Structures are given as C-alpha cells and as structure tokens.
Amino acid sequence: MIRTATATDVPVIHAMIRELAEYERALPEAKATEQQLHDALFGEHPAVFGLIAEDDTTGEPVGFALWFRNFSTWRGVHGIYLEDLYVRPSSRGGGHGRALLTELARICVERGYSRLEWSVLDWNEPSIGFYKSLGAVPMDEWTVFRLTDGALAELGGDGR
C-alpha cells in the first residue's frame, strides 16, 4: 500500500532517512531535523512531497519516497526528482520499491510531467539492476536515472 505522507509520518521518515544514510555510509552527513522535514513537507510553501509504503498486513511504514518538482528547459515541462527512496531491509523484495516508483510514474503521467529522475551510488549494484529492470537508463556523465516516454507511461499507466 502506498499513500501520501502526513505530518504524523515525519518521525518515521526521519528515522528511515538516518537508516538510508547509514546504508550509504554517510550517517554523519544526515543532519536534517524532524522540524526541518516537517517544514519542507507541510510548511506554508511545501517544497518536498512524500509517499509512504506500508506493510500489507500490519499497516506499518516500511519505506518512503521524498520528491520535488524539477523543470526541463529542453522539454518545456516539469518532472519529478526523486530525492530519496528507501525500503527497510526486512521488507525488501516485497514490491514496495516498485510500488513507490509506480506511484511516482503515475503522478508524472497524470500531471503531464515528462521525466522521473534520481541518482544512485555507483557501488549500489542491487539498486542499479532493479532500476534498469524498470526501463530506467543511466545518464553516463551523471549516473542519474530517468524514466521517460514509453517506459514512464508503462510503469505509471493503467496497465500496471
């Protein structure tokens, strides 16, 4: 189950961000506070948007995605930049990551956005393989992944 994050999710999102930072071997760099996350997600002018993946049986949050709108000067329309996607290790392989990306692709299709982009660490081979299996392609100079056109429509369209 994927749902839009609410203000009550901020503590669990914050905890999972720290888990992600630890996985990426960068925990000291994860300095964001719960208050900063709350303000970014739910303040007067939200700059970031969030999705929560819940366990199908317990309803407990097991993953999240934080994203914001970007803009392509080449295409002339907005897109989504996925800042963070994380699924707790005990819940990996259960389809939560794909469900989060599917929802983001659906939002792109619904709003007429032309790109869904994110970055992945070069050493994270399991994630790189997963993203490629969805039709995403690496941007060689930047190691940024992108879903566009047919792959974006397929992942976010009615034929899921």
Side-chain angles (χ1 to χ4, degrees), residues 28-79:
E29 297 175 42
K31 299 182 186 300
T33 66
E34 286 185 23
Q35 186 62 53
Q36 287 173 312
L37 288 173
H38 183 275
D39 292 347
L41 286 159
F42 305 106
E44 186 175 339
H45 301 288
V48 180
F49 306 92
L51 298 173
I52 298 291
E54 292 181 336
D55 182 273
D56 294 336
T57 52
T58 66
E60 292 296 313
V62 296
F64 76 97
L66 292 184
W67 62 276
F68 55 89
R69 289 188 325 164
N70 59 12
F71 184 79
S72 169
T73 56
W74 290 21
R75 293 201 172 199
V77 296
H78 287 288

Side-chain angles (χ1 to χ4, degrees), residues 4-5 11 18 25 32 46 51 81 83 94 96-97 103 105 109-110 115-116 120 129 140-141 144 155 160:
T4 301
R18 296 194 54 78
R25 305 171 191 146
L51 298 173
Y81 186 84
E83 180 63 23
H96 302 291
E103 179 60 13
V109 170
E110 177 182 274
R115 292 180 176 167
L116 171 55
V120 61
D140 292 330
E141 300 86 27
V144 173
L155 184 60
R160 322 176 231 183

Side-chain angles (χ1 to χ4, degrees), residues 4 9 12-13 23 27 32 96 110 113 118 122 125-126 147 158:
T4 301
D9 293 313
V12 75
I13 293 171
Y23 173 76
L27 186 56
H96 302 291
E110 177 182 274
Y113 297 170
W118 62 94
D122 291 341
E125 289 296 328
L147 282 172
D158 293 333

Side-chain angles (χ1 to χ4, degrees), residues 84-147:
D84 283 332
L85 183 142
Y86 178 73
V87 175
R88 287 187 157 147
S90 61
S91 297
R92 291 183 187 154
H96 302 291
R98 180 182 179 88
L100 286 163
L101 284 167
T102 296
E103 179 60 13
L104 290 169
R106 187 198 64 75
I107 292 168
C108 285
V109 170
E110 177 182 274
R111 297 181 185 181
Y113 297 170
S114 66
R115 292 180 176 167
L116 171 55
E117 297 179 322
W118 62 94
S119 298
V120 61
L121 292 167
D122 291 341
W123 55 260
N124 193 344
E125 289 296 328
S127 293
I128 291 169
F130 169 64
Y131 298 145
K132 287 181 177 180
S133 77
L134 298 176
V137 295
M139 306 290 292
D140 292 330
E141 300 86 27
W142 300 94
T143 314
V144 173
F145 282 79
R146 178 178 296 162
L147 282 172

